[in-house]
Amino acid sequence: MNFDHLKGQIAIVGVGYTKQGKIPGRTAVGFHAEAIRNALKDAGISKDDVDAMMLYRHFEPIGGDYDTTAFTVAEQVGFRPDVIGQETYCTRDWLYNIIGLLSSGLARYVVLSYGDNARSGRRSFVKELSAGKATDDLAAYGDLSTMAKYAMQARRAMDTYGTGPEVWKEIAIAQRMWAQLNPAAAMYGKPLTDEAYYAADLVAAPLRLLDATPNSDGGRAIVLTTVNRAKTLGHPFAVIRGFGSANQPVSPLRISVEDESSAAKIASSRAFAMAGITHADVDACELYDCFTYTVEATLRDYGFFRPEEVKQFLTRQNIGPGGVLPVNTSGGMLSEAYFMGLTPISEGVMQITGRCGERQLGRLSGTKEPEIIVCSDNGAVFQSHVTLVLERGE
């Protein structure tokens, strides 16, 4: 399939933030609504301009909260869009749905949002047990969480490519270094040392507690439209110069780290080809980092390094502040906040439009002003993937 006619046609024109971290007494619906309102204000449009709204993900309500549905959020914001949608599982189909609506003319502006009270409500991502009983036959073998499934992939990569905790430590520390430049990050003021990383408990061997993203309360939203319409708004925006989406509907037990047709490889190759760029053109990467190993696997599948080069490439000097390839400059989900794919994508937009304060590339010592930023969104256990190539628009 060839989507080159869509190259540089879609823009992200607004980003909406809320307070984030641990914020008791708030609902997921409230975080969605606040993030959306802030995104509309950032874009310079009104709620009446929005023709479509999509919620990033549906979760079971926690802490006595209301069920968070697209209808409920739209009502609280005051929307009456022609299209509302909500992702139930981790299929990451939001990108093609939104591009289809905008490029066909069925929508002028589309809002994509995420909101959750996961930290104060103590959301658990252990679905394999309920009321002390197994809901999945894999529970009998200790496969009790998403982390366990990623741990199996990480263990296979250790045996295949020679990676391991000494590499994942570098990713965790580098992103914590970025978080020290971001006052809104959950880990701001909390630098990480080698000793602290190794002292963290093993949760699902070989992954430690600090290899995993902590839950966050809060919300995040973005506004998308066509580039032609974005030019009328009078402020910088991010152009989606290239994009790709792919699925690998294979059980995590059967996914191979050596797969030449992984969702990340296919999505990134499509995005790079559409954008007409090589790896040397990329100034920074904002990547989905549910676990440290996810960052390694994504950069490897994107082709930034050969598998045997993993220990030389993934160092805090290379991917941290002042490095040759800045990665997750907000701190990422590991050290800023967990809003799934909207954490890396919103940071990519903010960096490409020059609004990141002390951590802004080009202002930070040893960095250059970004012209091309690559973002990723990863669904389930490497089973769904979206790649975006962003450049600045005026």
Side-chain angles (χ1 to χ4, degrees):
M1 295 183 289
N2 189 319
F3 303 132
D4 284 353
H5 63 288
L6 296 172
K7 174 182 177 179
Q9 297 301 304
I10 305 299
I12 303 174
V13 295
V15 179
Y17 289 79
T18 70
K19 290 184 178 180
Q20 56 195 37
K22 187 173 183 179
I23 311 169
R26 293 286 303 272
T27 66
V29 171
F31 285 127
H32 270 288
E34 182 183 353
I36 290 171
R37 292 188 185 104
N38 288 339
L40 298 182
K41 182 178 180 181
D42 189 53
I45 64 172
S46 76
K47 60 184 176 60
D48 296 328
D49 295 316
V50 177
D51 302 305
M53 182 198 73
M54 295 186 179
L55 303 195
Y56 192 89
R57 181 66 200 277
H58 178 266
F59 292 119
E60 293 297 318
I62 53 177
D65 201 1
Y66 295 104
D67 190 24
T68 303
T69 71
F71 286 116
T72 305
V73 172
E75 181 178 18
Q76 292 302 310
V77 176
F79 278 155
R80 289 202 175 189
D82 296 334
V83 178
I84 58 174
Q86 186 169 17
E87 185 181 87
T88 303
Y89 300 102
C90 291
T91 52
R92 301 299 186 262
D93 53 4
W94 63 266
L95 177 67
Y96 279 15
N97 286 338
I98 291 175
I99 289 175
L101 287 167
L102 293 172
S103 62
S104 67
L106 291 172
R108 296 167 297 167
Y109 294 94
V110 182
V111 171
L112 176 68
S113 76
Y114 181 101
D116 202 7
N117 54 350
R119 185 172 177 187
S120 59
R122 301 181 64 84
R123 182 176 300 288
S124 170
F125 287 93
V126 177
K127 300 294 185 182
E128 291 77 11
L129 291 175
S130 178
K133 296 181 180 179
T135 60
D136 188 321
D137 57 3
L138 298 177
Y141 302 96
D143 183 358
L144 296 175
S145 66
T146 301
M147 188 172 186
K149 293 175 175 63
Y150 275 90
M152 287 188 288
Q153 293 289 313
R155 172 65 70 182
R156 178 60 181 266
M158 288 177 68
D159 295 338
T160 304
Y161 299 134
T163 187
E166 63 271 28
V167 173
W168 307 328
K169 163 187 62 96
E170 293 295 306
I171 296 169
I173 290 175
Q175 293 193 202
R176 192 69 70 88
M177 292 167 68
W178 282 114
Q180 304 318 299
L181 303 175
N182 180 6
M187 297 301 172
Y188 180 71
K190 300 176 182 178
L192 178 63
T193 64
D194 295 57
E195 294 76 18
Y197 172 85
Y198 284 121
D201 291 339
L202 282 168
V203 179
L207 299 180
R208 290 170 162 79
L209 181 64
L210 294 178
D211 289 310
T213 294
N215 283 339
S216 304
D217 295 335
R220 191 70 55 85
I222 59 174
V223 179
L224 300 95
T225 189
T226 63
V227 165
N228 285 340
R229 192 171 289 111
K231 291 178 179 178
T232 69
L233 297 176
H235 58 73
F237 53 89
V239 177
I240 301 178
R241 176 167 165 169
F243 63 85
S245 180
N247 289 288
Q248 187 178 202
V250 179
S251 167
L253 292 172
R254 298 183 177 88
I255 290 178
S256 168
V257 298
E258 307 99 322
D259 190 351
E260 291 299 320
S261 298
S262 74
K265 286 185 179 181
I266 293 173
S268 61
S269 64
R270 289 173 176 169
F272 276 52
M274 179 187 290
I277 63 167
T278 68
H279 298 91
D281 297 315
V282 178
D283 298 310
C285 288
E286 309 293 349
L287 304 177
Y288 194 101
D289 58 320
C290 49
F291 302 99
T292 52
Y293 173 66
T294 313
V295 175
E296 175 192 331
T298 302
L299 289 170
R300 182 192 67 222
D301 283 1
Y302 278 24
F304 279 97
F305 62 87
R306 293 192 296 270
E308 63 271 19
E309 298 171 335
V310 60
K311 292 182 179 179
Q312 292 73 41
F313 189 89
L314 287 176
T315 67
R316 68 194 77 174
Q317 291 80 14
N318 274 355
I319 65 174
V324 295
L325 184 68
V327 173
N328 292 344
T329 55
S330 72
M333 296 192 295
L334 286 165
S335 288
E336 185 211 351
Y338 179 57
F339 301 130
M340 291 194 163
L342 287 185
T343 298
I345 291 169
S346 58
E347 177 69 7
V349 174
M350 296 297 282
Q351 281 286 353
I352 209 72
T353 55
R355 298 190 287 163
C356 287
E358 188 179 355
R359 69 184 187 277
Q360 177 61 50
L361 300 175
R363 298 180 200 150
L364 181 66
S365 176
T367 66
K368 67 181 289 286
E369 184 177 352
E371 297 177 14
I372 298 290
I373 292 181
V374 170
C375 304
S376 77
D377 187 5
N378 168 72
V381 185
F382 299 118
Q383 291 156 301
S384 230
H385 202 90
V386 163
T387 306
L388 298 179
V389 178
L390 303 181
E391 66 179 354
R392 184 182 174 97
E394 297 282 357

